[in-house]
CSV table of all heavy atoms in Angstrom, one decimal:
chain,number,residue,atom,x,y,z
A,109,GLN,N,-4.2,-5.7,-1.1
A,109,GLN,CA,-2.8,-5.6,-0.8
A,109,GLN,C,-2.4,-6.4,0.4
A,109,GLN,O,-1.4,-7.1,0.5
A,109,GLN,CB,-2.3,-4.2,-0.8
A,109,GLN,CG,-0.8,-4.0,-0.7
A,109,GLN,CD,-0.1,-4.5,-2.0
A,109,GLN,OE1,-0.7,-4.4,-3.1
A,109,GLN,NE2,1.1,-5.0,-1.8
A,110,ALA,N,-3.2,-6.3,1.5
A,110,ALA,CA,-2.9,-7.0,2.7
A,110,ALA,C,-2.9,-8.5,2.5
A,110,ALA,O,-2.2,-9.2,3.2
A,110,ALA,CB,-3.9,-6.6,3.8
A,111,ARG,N,-3.7,-9.0,1.6
A,111,ARG,CA,-3.8,-10.4,1.4
A,111,ARG,C,-2.5,-10.9,0.7
A,111,ARG,O,-2.2,-12.1,0.7
A,111,ARG,CB,-4.9,-10.7,0.4
A,111,ARG,CG,-6.3,-10.5,1.0
A,111,ARG,CD,-7.4,-10.7,0.0
A,111,ARG,NE,-7.4,-12.0,-0.6
A,111,ARG,CZ,-8.2,-12.3,-1.6
A,111,ARG,NH1,-9.0,-11.4,-2.1
A,111,ARG,NH2,-8.2,-13.6,-2.1
A,112,LEU,N,-1.7,-10.0,0.2
A,112,LEU,CA,-0.4,-10.3,-0.4
A,112,LEU,C,0.7,-10.5,0.7
A,112,LEU,O,1.8,-11.0,0.4
A,112,LEU,CB,0.1,-9.3,-1.4
A,112,LEU,CG,-0.9,-9.0,-2.6
A,112,LEU,CD1,-0.3,-8.0,-3.5
A,112,LEU,CD2,-1.1,-10.3,-3.3
A,113,THR,N,0.4,-10.1,1.9
A,113,THR,CA,1.4,-10.2,3.0
A,113,THR,C,1.4,-11.7,3.5
A,113,THR,O,0.4,-12.1,4.1
A,113,THR,CB,1.1,-9.3,4.2
A,113,THR,OG1,1.0,-8.0,3.7
A,113,THR,CG2,2.2,-9.4,5.2
A,114,PRO,N,2.4,-12.5,3.2
A,114,PRO,CA,2.4,-13.9,3.5
A,114,PRO,C,2.7,-14.1,5.0
A,114,PRO,O,3.3,-13.3,5.7
A,114,PRO,CB,3.6,-14.4,2.7
A,114,PRO,CG,4.5,-13.3,2.5
A,114,PRO,CD,3.7,-12.1,2.5
A,115,GLU,N,2.2,-15.3,5.5
A,115,GLU,CA,2.5,-15.7,6.8
A,115,GLU,C,3.9,-16.2,6.9
A,115,GLU,O,4.5,-16.5,5.9
A,115,GLU,CB,1.5,-16.8,7.3
A,115,GLU,CG,1.5,-18.0,6.4
A,115,GLU,CD,0.5,-19.1,6.8
A,115,GLU,OE1,0.6,-19.5,7.9
A,115,GLU,OE2,-0.3,-19.4,5.9
A,116,LEU,N,4.4,-16.3,8.1
A,116,LEU,CA,5.8,-16.9,8.3
A,116,LEU,C,5.7,-18.4,8.1
A,116,LEU,O,5.0,-19.1,8.9
A,116,LEU,CB,6.3,-16.5,9.7
A,116,LEU,CG,7.7,-16.8,10.0
A,116,LEU,CD1,8.7,-16.1,9.0
A,116,LEU,CD2,8.1,-16.5,11.4
A,117,LEU,N,6.5,-18.9,7.2
A,117,LEU,CA,6.5,-20.3,6.9
A,117,LEU,C,7.7,-20.9,7.5
A,117,LEU,O,8.8,-20.3,7.7
A,117,LEU,CB,6.5,-20.5,5.3
A,117,LEU,CG,5.3,-19.9,4.6
A,117,LEU,CD1,5.5,-20.0,3.1
A,117,LEU,CD2,4.0,-20.6,5.1
A,118,GLN,N,7.6,-22.2,7.8
A,118,GLN,CA,8.7,-22.9,8.5
A,118,GLN,C,9.5,-23.9,7.7
A,118,GLN,O,10.6,-24.3,8.2
A,118,GLN,CB,8.1,-23.7,9.7
A,118,GLN,CG,7.3,-22.8,10.7
A,118,GLN,CD,8.1,-21.7,11.3
A,118,GLN,OE1,9.3,-22.0,11.6
A,118,GLN,NE2,7.6,-20.5,11.6
A,119,SER,N,9.1,-24.2,6.5
A,119,SER,CA,9.8,-25.2,5.7
A,119,SER,C,9.6,-25.0,4.2
A,119,SER,O,8.6,-24.3,3.8
A,119,SER,CB,9.4,-26.6,6.1
A,119,SER,OG,8.1,-26.8,5.7
A,120,ARG,N,10.4,-25.6,3.4
A,120,ARG,CA,10.3,-25.5,2.0
A,120,ARG,C,9.0,-26.2,1.6
A,120,ARG,O,8.3,-25.8,0.6
A,120,ARG,CB,11.5,-26.3,1.3
A,120,ARG,CG,11.5,-26.3,-0.2
A,120,ARG,CD,12.8,-26.8,-0.6
A,120,ARG,NE,13.0,-27.0,-2.1
A,120,ARG,CZ,12.7,-28.1,-2.7
A,120,ARG,NH1,12.2,-29.2,-2.1
A,120,ARG,NH2,12.8,-28.1,-4.1
A,121,GLN,N,8.6,-27.3,2.3
A,121,GLN,CA,7.3,-28.0,2.0
A,121,GLN,C,6.1,-27.1,2.3
A,121,GLN,O,5.2,-27.0,1.5
A,121,GLN,CB,7.2,-29.3,2.8
A,121,GLN,CG,8.2,-30.3,2.4
A,121,GLN,CD,9.6,-30.1,2.8
A,121,GLN,OE1,9.9,-29.3,3.8
A,121,GLN,NE2,10.6,-30.6,2.1
A,122,MET,N,6.2,-26.3,3.4
A,122,MET,CA,5.1,-25.4,3.7
A,122,MET,C,5.0,-24.3,2.6
A,122,MET,O,3.9,-23.9,2.2
A,122,MET,CB,5.3,-24.8,5.1
A,122,MET,CG,5.0,-25.8,6.2
A,122,MET,SD,5.4,-25.0,7.8
A,122,MET,CE,4.1,-23.7,7.9
A,123,LEU,N,6.1,-23.8,2.1
A,123,LEU,CA,6.2,-22.8,1.1
A,123,LEU,C,5.5,-23.4,-0.2
A,123,LEU,O,4.6,-22.7,-0.8
A,123,LEU,CB,7.6,-22.5,0.8
A,123,LEU,CG,7.9,-21.4,-0.3
A,123,LEU,CD1,9.1,-20.6,0.0
A,123,LEU,CD2,8.0,-22.0,-1.7
A,124,ALA,N,5.8,-24.6,-0.5
A,124,ALA,CA,5.2,-25.2,-1.7
A,124,ALA,C,3.7,-25.4,-1.5
A,124,ALA,O,2.9,-25.1,-2.5
A,124,ALA,CB,5.8,-26.6,-2.0
A,125,LYS,N,3.3,-25.8,-0.3
A,125,LYS,CA,1.8,-26.0,-0.1
A,125,LYS,C,1.1,-24.7,-0.2
A,125,LYS,O,-0.1,-24.6,-0.5
A,125,LYS,CB,1.6,-26.7,1.3
A,125,LYS,CG,1.9,-28.1,1.3
A,125,LYS,CD,1.6,-28.8,2.6
A,125,LYS,CE,1.8,-30.3,2.6
A,125,LYS,NZ,0.8,-30.9,1.7
A,126,SER,N,1.7,-23.6,0.2
A,126,SER,CA,1.0,-22.3,0.1
A,126,SER,C,0.9,-21.7,-1.3
A,126,SER,O,0.0,-21.0,-1.7
A,126,SER,CB,1.7,-21.2,1.0
A,126,SER,OG,3.0,-20.9,0.5
A,127,ILE,N,1.9,-22.2,-2.2
A,127,ILE,CA,1.9,-21.7,-3.6
A,127,ILE,C,1.1,-22.6,-4.5
A,127,ILE,O,0.4,-22.1,-5.4
A,127,ILE,CB,3.4,-21.6,-4.1
A,127,ILE,CG1,4.1,-20.5,-3.3
A,127,ILE,CG2,3.4,-21.5,-5.6
A,127,ILE,CD1,5.6,-20.4,-3.7
A,129,PRO,N,-1.9,-24.2,-4.5
A,129,PRO,CA,-3.3,-23.8,-4.9
A,129,PRO,C,-3.4,-22.6,-5.8
A,129,PRO,O,-4.3,-22.5,-6.6
A,129,PRO,CB,-4.0,-23.6,-3.5
A,129,PRO,CG,-3.1,-24.2,-2.5
A,129,PRO,CD,-1.7,-24.1,-3.1
A,130,LEU,N,-2.5,-21.6,-5.6
A,130,LEU,CA,-2.5,-20.4,-6.4
A,130,LEU,C,-2.1,-20.8,-7.9
A,130,LEU,O,-2.8,-20.3,-8.8
A,130,LEU,CB,-1.6,-19.4,-5.9
A,130,LEU,CG,-1.9,-18.9,-4.4
A,130,LEU,CD1,-0.8,-18.0,-3.9
A,130,LEU,CD2,-3.2,-18.3,-4.3
A,174,ARG,N,1.2,-12.0,-7.8
A,174,ARG,CA,1.7,-11.1,-6.8
A,174,ARG,C,1.8,-11.8,-5.5
A,174,ARG,O,2.8,-11.6,-4.8
A,174,ARG,CB,0.8,-9.9,-6.7
A,174,ARG,CG,0.8,-9.0,-7.9
A,174,ARG,CD,-0.2,-7.8,-7.8
A,174,ARG,NE,-0.1,-6.9,-9.0
A,174,ARG,CZ,-1.0,-5.9,-9.2
A,174,ARG,NH1,-2.0,-5.7,-8.3
A,174,ARG,NH2,-0.9,-5.2,-10.3
A,175,ARG,N,0.9,-12.6,-5.1
A,175,ARG,CA,0.9,-13.3,-3.8
A,175,ARG,C,2.1,-14.3,-3.8
A,175,ARG,O,2.8,-14.4,-2.9
A,175,ARG,CB,-0.4,-13.9,-3.5
A,175,ARG,CG,-0.3,-14.7,-2.2
A,175,ARG,CD,-1.7,-14.9,-1.5
A,175,ARG,NE,-1.6,-15.6,-0.3
A,175,ARG,CZ,-1.2,-15.1,0.9
A,175,ARG,NH1,-0.9,-13.9,1.0
A,175,ARG,NH2,-1.2,-15.9,1.9
A,176,ILE,N,2.2,-15.1,-4.9
A,176,ILE,CA,3.3,-16.1,-5.0
A,176,ILE,C,4.6,-15.4,-4.9
A,176,ILE,O,5.5,-15.8,-4.2
A,176,ILE,CB,3.2,-16.8,-6.4
A,176,ILE,CG1,1.9,-17.7,-6.4
A,176,ILE,CG2,4.4,-17.7,-6.6
A,176,ILE,CD1,1.6,-18.3,-7.7
A,177,SER,N,4.8,-14.2,-5.6
A,177,SER,CA,6.0,-13.5,-5.6
A,177,SER,C,6.3,-13.0,-4.1
A,177,SER,O,7.5,-13.1,-3.7
A,177,SER,CB,6.0,-12.3,-6.5
A,177,SER,OG,5.8,-12.7,-7.8
A,178,ALA,N,5.3,-12.6,-3.4
A,178,ALA,CA,5.5,-12.1,-2.1
A,178,ALA,C,5.9,-13.3,-1.2
A,178,ALA,O,6.8,-13.1,-0.3
A,178,ALA,CB,4.2,-11.5,-1.5
A,179,ILE,N,5.3,-14.4,-1.3
A,179,ILE,CA,5.7,-15.6,-0.6
A,179,ILE,C,7.1,-16.0,-0.8
A,179,ILE,O,7.9,-16.3,0.1
A,179,ILE,CB,4.7,-16.8,-0.9
A,179,ILE,CG1,3.3,-16.5,-0.4
A,179,ILE,CG2,5.3,-18.1,-0.3
A,179,ILE,CD1,2.3,-17.5,-0.9
A,180,LEU,N,7.5,-16.0,-2.1
A,180,LEU,CA,8.9,-16.4,-2.4
A,180,LEU,C,9.9,-15.4,-1.8
A,180,LEU,O,10.9,-15.8,-1.3
A,180,LEU,CB,9.0,-16.5,-3.9
A,180,LEU,CG,8.3,-17.6,-4.6
A,180,LEU,CD1,8.3,-17.4,-6.1
A,180,LEU,CD2,8.9,-18.9,-4.2
A,181,ARG,N,9.6,-14.1,-1.9
A,181,ARG,CA,10.6,-13.1,-1.3
A,181,ARG,C,10.6,-13.2,0.2
A,181,ARG,O,11.7,-13.1,0.8
A,181,ARG,CB,10.2,-11.8,-1.8
A,181,ARG,CG,10.3,-11.5,-3.3
A,181,ARG,CD,10.2,-10.1,-3.7
A,181,ARG,NE,10.3,-9.8,-5.1
A,181,ARG,CZ,9.3,-9.8,-5.9
A,181,ARG,NH1,8.0,-9.8,-5.5
A,181,ARG,NH2,9.5,-9.6,-7.2
A,182,HIS,N,9.4,-13.4,0.8
A,182,HIS,CA,9.4,-13.4,2.3
A,182,HIS,C,10.0,-14.7,2.8
A,182,HIS,O,10.5,-14.6,4.0
A,182,HIS,CB,7.9,-13.4,2.7
A,182,HIS,CG,7.7,-13.2,4.1
A,182,HIS,ND1,7.9,-12.0,4.8
A,182,HIS,CD2,7.2,-14.0,5.1
A,182,HIS,CE1,7.6,-12.1,6.1
A,182,HIS,NE2,7.2,-13.3,6.3
A,183,SER,N,10.0,-15.8,2.1
A,183,SER,CA,10.5,-17.0,2.6
A,183,SER,C,11.7,-17.5,1.8
A,183,SER,O,12.0,-18.7,1.6
A,183,SER,CB,9.4,-18.1,2.5
A,183,SER,OG,8.3,-17.7,3.3
A,184,SER,N,12.5,-16.6,1.2
A,184,SER,CA,13.6,-17.0,0.4
A,184,SER,C,14.7,-17.8,1.1
A,184,SER,O,15.4,-18.6,0.4
A,184,SER,CB,14.3,-15.7,-0.2
A,184,SER,OG,14.8,-14.9,0.8
A,185,MET,N,14.7,-17.7,2.4
A,185,MET,CA,15.7,-18.5,3.2
A,185,MET,C,15.4,-20.0,3.1
A,185,MET,O,16.3,-20.8,3.5
A,185,MET,CB,15.8,-18.0,4.6
A,185,MET,CG,14.7,-18.3,5.5
A,185,MET,SD,13.1,-17.5,5.1
A,185,MET,CE,13.5,-15.8,5.3
A,186,LEU,N,14.2,-20.3,2.8
A,186,LEU,CA,13.8,-21.7,2.7
A,186,LEU,C,14.2,-22.4,1.4
A,186,LEU,O,14.1,-23.7,1.3
A,186,LEU,CB,12.3,-21.9,3.0
A,186,LEU,CG,11.7,-21.3,4.3
A,186,LEU,CD1,10.2,-21.4,4.3
A,186,LEU,CD2,12.3,-22.0,5.5
Side-chain angles (χ1 to χ4, degrees):
Q109 188 62 33
R111 292 172 61 187
L112 300 180
T113 304
E115 60 183 300
L116 186 62
L117 302 174
Q118 302 297 325
S119 68
R120 182 172 176 268
Q121 290 74 25
M122 288 177 64
L123 181 149
K125 283 182 175 295
S126 66
I127 290 174
L130 302 173
R174 290 175 180 174
R175 179 157 178 78
I176 292 169
S177 297
I179 291 170
L180 291 169
R181 293 190 181 97
H182 189 69
S183 304
S184 60
M185 73 292 296
L186 301 175

